[in-house]
Amino acid sequence: MDMKLEVVILPVSDVDRAKGFYVEQLGWRLDADFPIDDGYRIVQVTPPGSECSIIFGEGLTEQAAGTLHGLQLTVTDIVKAQEELASRGVRVSGPFRDETGAFHHAGDAHRVPGLHPERASYGTFAAFADPDGNEWFLQEVTERAAGR
């Protein structure tokens, strides 16, 4: 049986500010904005090309706003992705790679500035945060590993 990740719930403090960031600033597709009743609102947005959406709103999670770290977006050209985000007013750190050459550590202590030397798939990252501090990573993947 296939199981696909469809939705990630994002903790935010101000729904309208988050909607402005994700829809107007990042340019993500607005799928839904349902104000169900007082204290319960569902906003769903989807990054371009993604099959997984994020939902934020009111009454959806007990997590504190800004506590989701390590969300990841895969891009085929990290330099172009950074340029596009910067043109939209998003502050992006990177590109960088982890000193281990594997994934990336939490925080920024183990970051090596610059693109992966061979520009290997899965080897280069960049990062940005939303207005609440939820942290997103970009990972450059130009050729997928077998089975992915």
Side-chain angles (χ1 to χ4, degrees), residues 108-141:
D108 58 9
H110 300 277
R111 292 181 182 177
V112 176
L115 298 165
H116 185 279
E118 290 85 41
R119 200 88 185 252
S121 274
Y122 304 97
T124 303
F125 299 89
F128 69 92
D130 72 8
D132 281 300
N134 293 301
E135 183 180 40
W136 291 85
F137 286 91
L138 304 175
Q139 182 179 35
E140 185 174 71
V141 178

Side-chain angles (χ1 to χ4, degrees), residues 47-146:
S50 181
E51 292 186 26
C52 183
S53 300
I54 63 166
I55 290 179
F56 52 85
E58 296 175 27
L60 300 176
T61 182
E62 293 182 0
Q63 281 184 280
T67 58
L68 206 49
H69 296 254
L71 295 162
Q72 184 165 307
L73 301 166
T74 301
V75 297
T76 56
D77 187 324
I78 204 156
V79 174
K80 284 184 181 175
Q82 283 188 262
E83 289 170 355
E84 181 179 330
L85 289 171
S87 76
R88 294 173 170 274
V90 178
R91 189 171 155 253
V92 183
S93 64
F96 60 87
R97 61 188 188 282
D98 193 83
E99 67 185 11
T100 64
F103 196 57
H104 57 78
H105 282 82
D108 58 9
H110 300 277
R111 292 181 182 177
V112 176
L115 298 165
H116 185 279
E118 290 85 41
R119 200 88 185 252
S121 274
Y122 304 97
T124 303
F125 299 89
F128 69 92
D130 72 8
D132 281 300
N134 293 301
E135 183 180 40
W136 291 85
F137 286 91
L138 304 175
Q139 182 179 35
E140 185 174 71
V141 178
T142 55
E143 188 176 324
R144 291 210 167 266

